[in-house]
Amino acid sequence: MNDTPQIPELDIDPYAAENLIDPYAMHERIREAGPVVRLTPYAGLVACARHEQVHAVLNDHATFISSAGVGLTNFNLEPPFRPKSLILEADPPLHTQTRAVLSRILSPKAVTQIRAAFTAEAEALIDRCLEKSTREGVIDGIHDLAQPYPLKVFPDAVGLGNDGRENLLVYGDMIFNSMGPRNELLARSAARVGPVTAWIMEHCQRANLRPGGFGDQIYQAADAGEISHEQAPMLVRSFLSAGVDTTINGLGNALFALAHHPAEYAKLHADLTLARPAFEEALRWESTAQTFFRTAARNCTIAGIAVPENTKVLCLLGAANRDPRKWPEPERYDIHRRPSGHVALGSGIHGCVGQAVARLEGEVVLTALAKRVQRIEVMGAHTRRLNNTLRALDTLPLRFIPA
């Protein structure tokens, strides 16, 4: 008699358009099927959608490695079609070395030093949005607010020049699409990215970075021998590929949450100290990054279920963040919730290295918004920008009623 638990099989494609548009019914099916599920459209892949298992996989970097790629493609079995990220797609000791440099550059002390500039930009942008809302009766929460803010403040902090920053959007879209299958979404974004890649790599060079910015500090670390000069532009590239799109979508999802929960926004408007919790809860409720992969480094088990070496493990972050085993009433957006332990920014040694900056951006934007705007009105249907990894809005028509 075989007592080994069998992995449930589901004929679900998480990258089908309908599941990218509205993933939550799919998440529930996978969560409730078992702690580990095989998705039959993708051979050699297992998926975890419950918080306990997703958190465990992300925090066991020795068993579930990142160097084989954090997307669907297994770099142990086929060569990467682009240079691997020295942060996301590296294991110790290489990851330890590069992460230490970036963690110091993005330390709490560094975040304190940029806070005033980030706050001033947030307040100026909210004022412009209010003016447009009053004049035209509507703004686009994405194109007027959530997108221009990170595209201004983070490249400023890295030390990037002003020209051509829209290239970061095209590049980030391709990078996050490349973590899924070779589908139409990836084909479309890859077709747009050719000339953009050359621009990105050129602007990762020291000569094109403002002295003293985050990018220049990476080169200073190379001068000090902490990393090589060959690694320096690749680490700057990691900033530019991961530090803009994710925050744009985090801010867009927070605006969406507050606009569709007027009672929660009223609480924020009455108490500005709720700005950070409101952003944190938005990260849990609408996870910016919906999926990340790990690869089993050896034969192992997840929740007692055998997982063979070289198996790709799909961690459904958005599903884990709405797991009723972890969160009471997980589908409710509640800014008084303290969603400690959510995995929207990853977890373990590969947790988002720039999360302190992302949280700063969310906090100062929502503080400026709540200070100046009494009420947010939804002015029409939103549209989504589909991406294999990111939960992204394309348009979000709103009206801001001034305080």
Coordinates of all heavy atoms in Angstrom, one line a residue, residues 178-225:
S178 N 8.9 38.1 -19.3 CA 9.8 37.0 -19.6 C 9.8 36.0 -18.5 O 10.4 34.9 -18.7 CB 11.2 37.6 -19.8 OG 11.8 37.9 -18.6
M179 N 9.2 36.3 -17.4 CA 9.2 35.3 -16.3 C 8.1 34.3 -16.5 O 8.0 33.3 -15.7 CB 9.1 36.0 -14.9 CG 10.3 36.9 -14.6 SD 10.1 37.8 -13.1 CE 11.6 38.7 -13.1
G180 N 7.2 34.5 -17.5 CA 6.2 33.6 -17.8 C 6.5 32.7 -19.0 O 7.7 32.6 -19.4
P181 N 5.5 32.2 -19.6 CA 5.7 31.4 -20.8 C 6.0 32.2 -22.0 O 5.9 33.5 -22.0 CB 4.4 30.6 -21.0 CG 3.4 31.5 -20.4 CD 4.1 32.2 -19.3
R182 N 6.5 31.6 -23.1 CA 6.7 32.3 -24.4 C 5.4 32.5 -25.1 O 5.1 31.9 -26.1 CB 7.7 31.6 -25.2 CG 9.1 31.5 -24.6 CD 10.1 30.9 -25.5 NE 11.5 31.0 -25.1 CZ 12.1 30.2 -24.2 NH1 11.4 29.1 -23.8 NH2 13.3 30.4 -23.9
N183 N 4.5 33.4 -24.5 CA 3.2 33.6 -25.1 C 3.2 34.9 -25.9 O 4.2 35.6 -26.1 CB 2.2 33.6 -24.0 CG 2.4 34.6 -22.9 OD1 3.3 35.4 -23.0 ND2 1.7 34.5 -21.8
E184 N 2.0 35.3 -26.2 CA 1.8 36.5 -27.0 C 2.2 37.8 -26.3 O 2.8 38.7 -26.8 CB 0.3 36.7 -27.5 CG 0.1 37.8 -28.5 CD -1.4 37.9 -28.9 OE1 -2.1 36.9 -28.7 OE2 -1.8 39.0 -29.3
L185 N 2.0 37.8 -24.9 CA 2.4 38.9 -24.1 C 3.9 39.1 -24.2 O 4.4 40.3 -24.4 CB 2.0 38.8 -22.7 CG 0.5 38.9 -22.4 CD1 0.2 38.6 -20.9 CD2 0.0 40.3 -22.7
L186 N 4.7 38.1 -24.1 CA 6.1 38.2 -24.1 C 6.5 38.6 -25.5 O 7.4 39.4 -25.7 CB 6.8 36.8 -23.7 CG 8.3 36.8 -23.9 CD1 8.9 37.9 -23.0 CD2 8.9 35.4 -23.5
A187 N 5.9 38.0 -26.6 CA 6.3 38.3 -28.0 C 6.1 39.8 -28.2 O 7.0 40.4 -28.8 CB 5.5 37.4 -28.9
R188 N 5.0 40.3 -27.8 CA 4.7 41.8 -28.0 C 5.7 42.6 -27.3 O 6.2 43.6 -27.9 CB 3.3 42.1 -27.6 CG 2.2 41.7 -28.6 CD 1.0 42.6 -28.5 NE 0.4 42.5 -27.1 CZ -0.6 41.7 -26.8 NH1 -1.1 40.9 -27.6 NH2 -1.0 41.8 -25.5
S189 N 6.0 42.3 -26.0 CA 6.9 43.2 -25.3 C 8.4 43.0 -25.8 O 9.1 44.0 -25.8 CB 6.8 42.9 -23.8 OG 7.1 41.6 -23.5
A190 N 8.7 41.8 -26.2 CA 10.1 41.6 -26.7 C 10.3 42.3 -28.0 O 11.4 42.8 -28.3 CB 10.3 40.1 -26.9
A191 N 9.2 42.5 -28.9 CA 9.3 43.2 -30.1 C 9.6 44.6 -29.9 O 10.2 45.3 -30.8 CB 8.0 43.0 -30.9
R192 N 9.1 45.2 -28.8 CA 9.3 46.6 -28.5 C 10.6 47.0 -27.8 O 11.0 48.1 -27.8 CB 8.2 47.1 -27.6 CG 6.8 47.0 -28.1 CD 5.7 47.1 -27.0 NE 5.8 48.5 -26.4 CZ 5.5 48.7 -25.1 NH1 5.1 47.7 -24.3 NH2 5.6 49.9 -24.7
V193 N 11.3 45.9 -27.3 CA 12.4 46.2 -26.4 C 13.8 46.3 -27.0 O 14.7 46.8 -26.4 CB 12.4 45.1 -25.3 CG1 13.3 43.9 -25.7 CG2 12.9 45.7 -24.0
G194 N 13.9 46.0 -28.3 CA 15.3 46.0 -29.0 C 16.1 47.2 -28.7 O 17.1 47.2 -28.1
P195 N 15.7 48.4 -29.3 CA 16.4 49.6 -29.1 C 16.5 50.1 -27.7 O 17.4 50.7 -27.3 CB 15.7 50.6 -30.0 CG 14.3 50.1 -30.2 CD 14.5 48.6 -30.1
V196 N 15.5 49.7 -26.9 CA 15.4 50.1 -25.5 C 16.6 49.5 -24.7 O 17.2 50.1 -23.8 CB 14.1 49.8 -24.9 CG1 14.1 49.9 -23.4 CG2 13.0 50.6 -25.5
T197 N 16.9 48.2 -25.0 CA 17.9 47.5 -24.2 C 19.3 48.2 -24.3 O 20.0 48.4 -23.3 CB 18.1 46.0 -24.7 OG1 16.8 45.4 -24.6 CG2 19.1 45.2 -23.9
A198 N 19.6 48.7 -25.6 CA 20.8 49.4 -25.7 C 20.8 50.7 -24.9 O 21.9 51.1 -24.3 CB 21.0 49.7 -27.2
W199 N 19.7 51.4 -24.8 CA 19.6 52.6 -24.0 C 19.8 52.3 -22.6 O 20.5 53.0 -21.9 CB 18.2 53.2 -24.3 CG 18.0 54.5 -23.5 CD1 18.2 55.8 -24.0 CD2 17.5 54.7 -22.2 NE1 17.9 56.7 -23.1 CE2 17.5 56.1 -21.9 CE3 17.1 53.8 -21.2 CZ2 17.0 56.6 -20.7 CZ3 16.7 54.3 -19.9 CH2 16.7 55.7 -19.7
I200 N 19.2 51.2 -22.1 CA 19.3 50.8 -20.7 C 20.8 50.6 -20.3 O 21.3 51.1 -19.4 CB 18.5 49.5 -20.4 CG1 17.0 49.8 -20.5 CG2 18.8 49.0 -19.0 CD1 16.4 50.5 -19.3
M201 N 21.4 49.8 -21.1 CA 22.8 49.4 -20.8 C 23.7 50.6 -20.9 O 24.7 50.8 -20.1 CB 23.3 48.3 -21.7 CG 22.6 46.9 -21.5 SD 22.4 46.5 -19.8 CE 24.1 46.3 -19.2
E202 N 23.5 51.5 -21.8 CA 24.3 52.8 -21.9 C 24.1 53.6 -20.7 O 25.1 54.2 -20.1 CB 23.8 53.6 -23.2 CG 24.6 54.9 -23.3 CD 24.0 55.7 -24.4 OE1 23.1 55.2 -25.2 OE2 24.3 56.9 -24.5
H203 N 22.9 53.7 -20.2 CA 22.6 54.5 -19.0 C 22.9 53.8 -17.7 O 22.8 54.4 -16.6 CB 21.1 55.0 -19.0 CG 20.9 56.1 -20.0 ND1 20.8 55.8 -21.4 CD2 20.9 57.4 -19.9 CE1 20.6 56.9 -22.0 NE2 20.7 57.9 -21.2
C204 N 23.4 52.6 -17.8 CA 23.9 51.9 -16.6 C 25.4 52.2 -16.4 O 26.0 51.8 -15.4 CB 23.7 50.4 -16.6 SG 22.0 49.9 -16.5
Q205 N 26.0 52.9 -17.4 CA 27.5 53.2 -17.3 C 27.7 54.4 -16.4 O 26.9 55.3 -16.4 CB 28.0 53.4 -18.7 CG 27.8 52.3 -19.7 CD 28.5 51.0 -19.2 OE1 29.6 51.0 -18.7 NE2 27.7 49.9 -19.3
R206 N 28.8 54.3 -15.7 CA 29.1 55.4 -14.7 C 29.1 56.8 -15.3 O 28.6 57.7 -14.6 CB 30.5 55.1 -14.2 CG 30.8 55.9 -12.9 CD 32.2 55.5 -12.3 NE 32.2 55.8 -10.9 CZ 33.1 55.2 -10.0 NH1 34.0 54.4 -10.5 NH2 33.1 55.5 -8.8
A207 N 29.6 56.9 -16.5 CA 29.6 58.3 -17.1 C 28.2 58.9 -17.3 O 28.1 60.1 -17.4 CB 30.3 58.2 -18.5
N208 N 27.2 58.1 -17.3 CA 25.8 58.6 -17.5 C 25.0 58.7 -16.2 O 23.8 58.9 -16.2 CB 25.1 57.7 -18.5 CG 25.7 57.8 -19.9 OD1 26.0 58.9 -20.4 ND2 26.0 56.6 -20.5
L209 N 25.7 58.5 -15.1 CA 25.0 58.6 -13.8 C 25.5 59.8 -13.0 O 26.7 60.1 -13.0 CB 25.3 57.3 -13.0 CG 24.7 56.0 -13.6 CD1 25.3 54.8 -13.0 CD2 23.2 56.0 -13.5
R210 N 24.6 60.4 -12.3 CA 25.0 61.6 -11.4 C 25.9 61.1 -10.3 O 25.5 60.2 -9.6 CB 23.7 62.2 -10.9 CG 23.9 63.4 -9.9 CD 22.6 64.0 -9.5 NE 21.7 63.0 -8.9 CZ 21.8 62.5 -7.7 NH1 22.7 62.9 -6.9 NH2 20.9 61.6 -7.3
P211 N 27.0 61.8 -10.0 CA 27.8 61.5 -8.9 C 27.0 61.5 -7.6 O 26.2 62.4 -7.3 CB 28.9 62.6 -8.9 CG 28.9 63.0 -10.3 CD 27.5 62.9 -10.8
G212 N 27.2 60.5 -6.7 CA 26.6 60.5 -5.4 C 25.2 59.7 -5.4 O 24.7 59.4 -4.3
G213 N 24.6 59.5 -6.6 CA 23.4 58.8 -6.6 C 23.6 57.3 -6.3 O 24.7 56.8 -6.2
F214 N 22.4 56.5 -6.2 CA 22.5 55.1 -5.9 C 23.4 54.4 -6.9 O 24.1 53.5 -6.6 CB 21.1 54.5 -5.9 CG 20.2 54.9 -4.8 CD1 18.8 54.8 -4.9 CD2 20.8 55.5 -3.6 CE1 18.0 55.2 -3.8 CE2 19.9 55.9 -2.5 CZ 18.6 55.7 -2.7
G215 N 23.2 54.7 -8.2 CA 24.0 54.1 -9.2 C 25.5 54.3 -9.1 O 26.3 53.4 -9.2
D216 N 25.9 55.6 -8.8 CA 27.3 55.9 -8.6 C 27.9 55.2 -7.4 O 29.0 54.8 -7.4 CB 27.5 57.4 -8.5 CG 28.9 57.8 -8.3 OD1 29.7 57.5 -9.2 OD2 29.2 58.4 -7.3
Q217 N 27.0 55.0 -6.4 CA 27.5 54.3 -5.2 C 27.8 52.9 -5.4 O 28.7 52.3 -4.8 CB 26.4 54.4 -4.1 CG 26.3 55.8 -3.5 CD 25.2 55.9 -2.5 OE1 25.1 55.1 -1.5 NE2 24.3 56.9 -2.6
I218 N 27.1 52.3 -6.4 CA 27.5 50.9 -6.8 C 28.9 50.9 -7.4 O 29.7 50.0 -7.1 CB 26.4 50.3 -7.8 CG1 25.1 50.1 -7.1 CG2 26.9 49.1 -8.5 CD1 24.0 49.7 -8.0
Y219 N 29.2 51.9 -8.2 CA 30.5 51.9 -8.8 C 31.6 52.2 -7.7 O 32.7 51.7 -7.8 CB 30.6 53.0 -9.9 CG 30.0 52.5 -11.2 CD1 28.7 52.7 -11.6 CD2 30.8 51.8 -12.1 CE1 28.2 52.2 -12.8 CE2 30.3 51.3 -13.3 CZ 29.0 51.5 -13.6 OH 28.5 51.0 -14.8
Q220 N 31.2 53.0 -6.7 CA 32.1 53.2 -5.6 C 32.4 51.9 -4.9 O 33.6 51.7 -4.4 CB 31.6 54.2 -4.6 CG 31.5 55.6 -5.2 CD 30.8 56.6 -4.2 OE1 30.9 56.4 -3.0 NE2 30.1 57.6 -4.7
A221 N 31.4 51.0 -4.8 CA 31.6 49.7 -4.2 C 32.6 48.9 -5.0 O 33.4 48.1 -4.5 CB 30.3 49.0 -4.0
A222 N 32.5 49.0 -6.4 CA 33.4 48.3 -7.2 C 34.9 48.9 -7.1 O 35.8 48.1 -7.0 CB 33.0 48.5 -8.7
D223 N 35.0 50.2 -6.9 CA 36.3 50.8 -6.7 C 36.9 50.3 -5.4 O 38.1 50.1 -5.3 CB 36.2 52.3 -6.5 CG 35.7 53.0 -7.8 OD1 35.9 52.4 -8.9 OD2 35.3 54.2 -7.7
A224 N 36.1 50.0 -4.4 CA 36.5 49.5 -3.1 C 36.8 48.0 -3.1 O 37.2 47.4 -2.1 CB 35.5 49.8 -2.0
G225 N 36.5 47.3 -4.2 CA 36.8 45.9 -4.3 C 35.7 45.0 -3.8 O 35.9 43.8 -3.7

